[in-house]
Amino acid sequence: MELTSAIIGPVVTEKAEVLKSVSKYLIQVHPHATKIDVKNALRKFYDVDVESVRVMNTVPKRRMIGAGKVMEKRHRSKRMIVTLAKKSKPLDLATFKAA
C-alpha cells in the first residue's frame, strides 16, 4: 500500500482527547492499511517514533426500514491507536511533511 494514503486523519472524540495525555493517538486509516504501513508513514511523514500500534475495526450497524430497504447507521471504518515512544515529539497530523 502507498504510504501517502495510509492515514486518513485524526479521530476527534472524548476518548481520543483523554488518550493524548498519555502519548496515545487515535487515527483513522485506510481499510487496507496494515500496522507496518501506518508505522512507516508516521515515521516518514511526521517524524515520530512509534512504540506500538493497535487496530480497531468498526463493523457497520444496519437497520431495516421496510420493503427490503436497509439504512446504515454506522459505516465501516478502521482506526488505529498509536502509542509513541517516550523520547518522541507529540504527533501533530496537521504538519504533513512531503518526502
Side-chain angles (χ1 to χ4, degrees), residues 51-84:
E51 186 175 304
S52 70
V53 178
R54 296 187 305 174
V55 179
M56 295 176 11
N57 282 311
T58 305
V59 294
K61 187 174 183 180
R62 295 187 176 109
R63 181 175 152 211
M64 297 294 290
I65 57 174
K69 296 181 182 175
V70 178
M71 177 179 72
E72 195 165 77
K73 296 174 76 173
R74 180 176 58 212
H75 300 287
R76 179 183 315 272
S77 67
K78 187 173 189 178
R79 300 173 177 182
M80 293 196 182
I81 300 175
V82 177
T83 305
L84 299 183

Side-chain angles (χ1 to χ4, degrees), residues 11-54:
V11 176
V12 183
T13 60
E14 290 180 17
K15 180 179 180 178
E17 292 301 317
V18 171
L19 287 174
K20 283 183 184 179
S21 64
V22 290
S23 296
K24 293 184 180 185
Y25 294 88
L26 189 60
I27 56 175
Q28 187 153 1
V29 298
H30 191 275
H32 299 296
T34 62
K35 290 181 179 184
I36 296 168
D37 291 338
V38 172
K39 192 172 185 177
N40 290 337
L42 288 171
R43 186 180 304 129
K44 183 175 183 180
F45 299 121
Y46 298 101
D47 288 332
V48 293
D49 296 327
V50 178
E51 186 175 304
S52 70
V53 178
R54 296 187 305 174

